[in-house]
Amino acid sequence: MLKQIPIFFTFNNDYVIPAAVAFYSLLNKAKSDIFYEMYVLHSDITIENQNLLQNIVKNKGNANLTFKNTNGFLQDLWDNGNFEGHNTKTQFTSDTIIRCFGAKFFPQYDKIIYSDVDIVIVDDISELIDINLDNKYIAAVKDAFMQWDKNELSHLRSDHYEKFKDSYFAGGIWVMNLKKIREDHLENKMIEIIKDDSIVKRWNDMDIMNIACDNKVEFIPLNYISYPYLRERILQKDFISHYSRDELYDSLINPKIIHYAAIKPWNGSPNKAEIWWEIFDYLDLPKNKIFKTQVNNEELNRFIKKYYKYKNLFKIFLTISIILLLSFGLFLFK
């Protein structure tokens, strides 16, 4: 008998291609007895792009995919709220705070998984739904950089900083206890946090959820949001973390989810980007505007190889071109 697991995502039309990679990786690594009920909360995903994602899900055969239009929910609060830099950071939209409101959009469930789409899932994650949350609102991964990066939580009010400096949880993947969230009317508290201009929301959804959940959190291992750049951080002499060295390295060696939280594969060259690109190539996905600055590693390597292969010819061509230009310049100014 198949075990049905609800999971939802929130993103806009620009992030459909990363979502396609994330969806495929989720379903490709699912155990044979797992069936995902997948949902996308959105405000602008085109029918064409919905069909693209539907086809990927249908071809895998172990999930259903449903799109739910949020119809402008929270847009006014987003436009007028104290979200640090949200008018200039185009990767942040109102979709980033809608993910906090799973209880509103999924009344049929007592518990649900939420996932970002700037990820690749490299191992089955179905066991997340079985986490015993008891009186906790959420299961999430504790932030790995609070102790080392003083800017990480510098935006928090002093009372919030003292409360969450050792327990602030990250995004990427959450398991939400929708039943308790409803029982305690937690979404009303979230609305008040969004409206409160004394609370600067730098990390948007994470700030809202951390403050609202008030440390009623079940922590899950760092493997569930393995950061590609973590190794470089660990090797820095001044790096410190709430995690032990074993836990940090285990997240790199045995990841469940690779979370491209900073540099994205489609507009940079993070570690482990090749895993993302392999799925992208396999699915034969198109590039959209978020790829505009991207030169992927494979393309770059091909260019470098060609350069070294024809380096001498290139130098000869460049030398001849310079001589011709100089000669033409001398001829003009005789």
Side-chain angles (χ1 to χ4, degrees):
M1 183 177 177
L2 292 177
K3 181 178 181 179
Q4 295 191 343
I5 298 176
I7 184 169
F8 81 101
F9 311 81
T10 63
F11 54 90
N12 63 17
N13 199 56
D14 293 340
Y15 267 64
V16 163
I17 302 308
V21 173
F23 287 9
Y24 178 87
S25 69
L26 169 71
L27 302 181
N28 191 53
K29 291 298 181 179
K31 294 177 181 177
S32 59
D33 63 341
I34 299 299
F35 188 92
Y36 281 103
E37 292 291 346
M38 302 170 64
Y39 299 88
V40 175
L41 300 181
H42 75 101
S43 58
D44 68 348
I45 299 177
T46 65
I47 295 300
E48 179 184 10
N49 279 332
Q50 289 184 35
N51 289 337
L52 183 154
L53 294 174
Q54 287 284 11
N55 287 337
I56 291 170
V57 173
K58 287 176 182 176
N59 287 339
K60 291 303 295 178
N62 54 352
N64 286 325
L65 176 59
T66 302
F67 291 86
K68 302 185 76 166
N69 195 305
T70 55
N71 296 311
F73 177 63
L74 297 180
Q75 189 62 51
D76 287 344
L77 292 179
W78 169 257
D79 290 339
N80 298 301
N82 192 358
F83 294 96
E84 184 178 291
H86 79 287
N87 290 321
T88 57
K89 294 181 180 179
T90 55
Q91 71 269 34
F92 293 150
T93 68
S94 59
D95 295 296
T96 62
I97 58 174
I98 284 173
R99 64 194 57 161
C100 302
F101 293 83
K104 168 185 171 61
F105 288 99
F106 305 106
Q108 70 272 40
Y109 296 119
D110 288 341
K111 187 190 288 186
I112 197 168
I113 298 172
Y114 162 77
S115 175
D116 283 357
V117 294
D118 55 346
I119 63 164
V120 169
I121 293 171
V122 293
D123 196 2
D124 177 81
I125 63 166
S126 59
E127 68 275 7
L128 284 174
I129 202 67
D130 296 323
I131 292 174
N132 185 355
L133 292 177
D134 289 330
N135 290 318
K136 310 289 179 63
Y137 292 120
I138 196 169
V141 178
K142 185 181 290 190
D143 188 294
F145 306 106
M146 286 180 290
Q147 289 186 335
W148 176 71
D149 186 352
K150 301 305 180 184
N151 191 50
E152 191 85 358
L153 302 180
S154 63
H155 63 291
L156 293 180
R157 271 183 357 203
S158 58
D159 56 327
H160 290 152
Y161 178 81
E162 288 302 318
K163 181 176 285 190
F164 303 116
K165 65 181 180 180
D166 296 318
S167 60
Y168 190 95
F169 60 85
I173 195 85
W174 295 340
V175 186
M176 302 177 75
N177 186 348
L178 303 184
K179 182 179 180 182
K180 182 166 177 60
I181 288 172
R182 291 189 199 99
E183 288 174 350
D184 292 356
H185 307 288
L186 196 70
E187 290 187 342
N188 292 337
K189 184 176 179 180
M190 294 178 199
I191 294 290
E192 293 306 311
I193 292 167
I194 294 171
K195 288 180 176 179
D196 189 342
D197 285 342
S198 74
I199 300 174
V200 179
K201 277 76 69 175
R202 174 180 297 165
W203 307 124
N204 303 326
D205 54 318
M206 294 186 290
D207 287 340
I208 293 167
M209 287 301 289
N210 271 274
I211 295 169
C213 290
D214 199 24
N215 284 327
K216 291 183 178 179
V217 182
E218 183 72 26
F219 292 111
I220 56 180
L222 188 58
N223 311 62
Y224 284 95
I225 52 170
S226 178
Y227 296 110
Y229 53 84
L230 180 59
R231 181 172 176 270
E232 284 78 2
R233 298 291 186 272
I234 297 172
L235 293 175
Q236 292 181 228
K237 291 182 179 180
D238 63 342
F239 183 74
I240 55 173
S241 177
H242 288 87
Y243 290 96
S244 69
R245 186 176 185 274
D246 285 347
E247 289 173 317
L248 292 168
Y249 271 103
D250 188 57
S251 77
L252 292 172
I253 298 166
N254 300 302
K256 289 279 193 176
I257 300 172
I258 298 170
H259 186 200
Y260 303 101
I263 303 171
K264 314 299 184 185
W266 53 89
N267 60 17
S269 298
N271 295 337
K272 302 182 181 179
E274 68 279 2
I275 301 172
W276 192 94
W277 281 106
E278 284 164 0
I279 298 174
F280 174 90
D281 291 339
Y282 171 70
L283 296 174
D284 195 22
L285 294 168
K287 293 183 179 180
N288 62 12
K289 66 182 183 181
I290 67 172
F291 288 76
K292 62 187 176 182
T293 60
Q294 174 65 30
V295 177
N296 71 47
N297 288 337
E298 187 176 342
E299 291 171 341
L300 184 60
N301 288 337
R302 282 200 297 264
F303 174 81
I304 292 170
K305 286 178 182 177
K306 285 182 179 178
Y307 169 75
Y308 281 109
K309 183 177 180 180
Y310 300 109
K311 181 170 62 173
N312 291 332
L313 285 176
F314 177 76
K315 288 180 177 179
I316 293 169
F317 175 77
L318 184 61
T319 302
I320 293 171
S321 298
I322 292 171
I323 291 170
L324 289 173
L325 283 171
L326 289 173
S327 301
F328 183 67
L330 290 172
F331 173 78
L332 285 177
F333 292 100
K334 277 185 177 180

